Amino acid sequence: MFATLKFAALLLAVVVCWATQDYDYNDAEIDEEPTLGDSPYGSLWPLPQKVQISTVVFKLSGASFHIFDAKASSSGASCRLLQNAYRRYDEYIFTSSRKQGQNKSKKALASDMSELQVWITSADSECDSYPSVTSDESLTQYSLCKLYQYFNNNSILHLFIFSQKSINRTDIHDFPRFAHRGLLLDTSRHFLPIKVILANLEAMAWNKFNVFHWHIVDDPSFPYLSRTFPQLSQHGAYHPYTHVYTPSDVKMIIEFARLRGIRVVPEFDTPGHTQSWGKGQKDLLTPCYSGASPSGSFGPVNPMLNTTYDFMSMFFKEVNTVFPDAYVHLGGDEVDFSCWKSNPDIQKFMEQQGFGTDYSKLESFYIQRLLDIVTTTNKGYMIWQEVFDNGVKLKSDTVVHVWMGNKVEEELQKVTEAGFTTILSAPWYLDYISYGQDWQKFYRAEPLSFKGTDAQKKLVIGGEACLWGEYVDATNLTPRLWPRASAVGERLWSDRDVRDLNDAYSRLAKHRCRMAYKPSVQPLSACCGHSEH
């Protein structure tokens, strides 16, 4: 349904849609500040592929307006995904007035829009399915109002929530430019409470992100509570009870995301970034040496022991059952060879394998065995670019994640020339902050500016904004992330030619107000002033 709410023939018996009516990866400067004015597209974000807004205006009344399934729709009351979406939209639009009982005594007027009928024409509504990279998110709108994608991303709100529930007649044809529009959150360096994760999934839906890249564990902590290896979080989390994600927590997050058309792709990064793993799993990490004696510290995963691969096999079988997405991110970045070099047993193993002193070959040895293990679970895998750079043999459907900021275009050219699907994050590390409106450099980034054939460029399926957690926790995550990530959302959704900074600034300022708006806390006018962020 995620694709699949193919509203190819959406019967929208109402709603008319609202409105007021090549990048250099190393370029961190903006030539001039954009001017805040009015956009002909109001606060639409991200901008649809094609949109035509008329001056004909209708009103929505909380006294009469409701959303329901058309009689001929292949989906009905049993479709939890749609019914959940209907309730959310109703609350978004009418929360304040209905909570205060303002509409109970009011009668609908003849000019009011009274209903929205949703007609699903697909034979299989896929109500119980999970979104995937092949989901069809396109919409051909034959009626008065726009209902995006799979009814899960709040775009309809962009059309009227700030216009006092007045709606302009609007025709829209829309689809995403890129299939993979992701956001990475790091829950290892600082533990993020579930409510923070859910709030950001909601914000992702408002900005048409469809992949939550969950960097769930790393060196500092192991908050994933494994049923097979509970000692990992028992000894590796910041706290074994308060700072862990239980199986029920993970299930809830995945379902919350599913109902908003968002995939959850977990990352379990090895052989580096694994210090927290070693606290709960004996002999998993390599003992480091100082001269001829162990130093008491540990390095990357020990690649010479069979027990390492026995553990990984059992662990990733569990991951396969817990996370339903077709892909898992296996990391593979920033492996420090110094500990391996210091260990005499590793040195002997290197000699036996004929690796000489090239420790990247040892890394490749480990990664190759891990990829073979994950392949047996029938999951695809994503890896950071170093795995490709080091010449590891990869399956043809491997997704290579380009993140290193130097020679990005050259890297994209090499990866796609080798025939691998690619996603880009290099220009979108949002944990790096600067004074002023740095959203503009994220907005100006162009994923397809590298030299390559059309076939190569089709292999770039999208990108991800990354917010690493060294200096981010529950207290500052949301204001640091939004609306800066919104700029990435539009770059990955809208047409390549949508690049007008002044128009974007106008829409983004209004969009920020919409995201920040809390009817029970502050009046609308308190938010919708000039925004510098």
Side-chain angles (χ1 to χ4, degrees), residues 290-302:
S290 178
S293 304
S295 65
S297 62
F298 294 87
V301 165
N302 193 329

Side-chain angles (χ1 to χ4, degrees), residues 49 135-139 149-150 174-181 208 210 492-495:
Q49 300 291 334
S135 292
D136 176 5
E137 300 173 277
S138 63
L139 166 67
Q149 289 186 0
Y150 29 73
D174 206 11
F175 52 88
R177 183 183 175 201
F178 293 103
H180 186 114
R181 306 178 304 282
K208 292 192 176 61
N210 65 351
L492 294 174
W493 178 277
S494 302
D495 187 83

Side-chain angles (χ1 to χ4, degrees), residues 215-230:
H215 190 85
I216 191 168
V217 301
D218 207 298
D219 281 329
S221 74
F222 196 103
Y224 171 72
L225 200 165
S226 166
R227 283 196 176 100
T228 311
F229 301 102

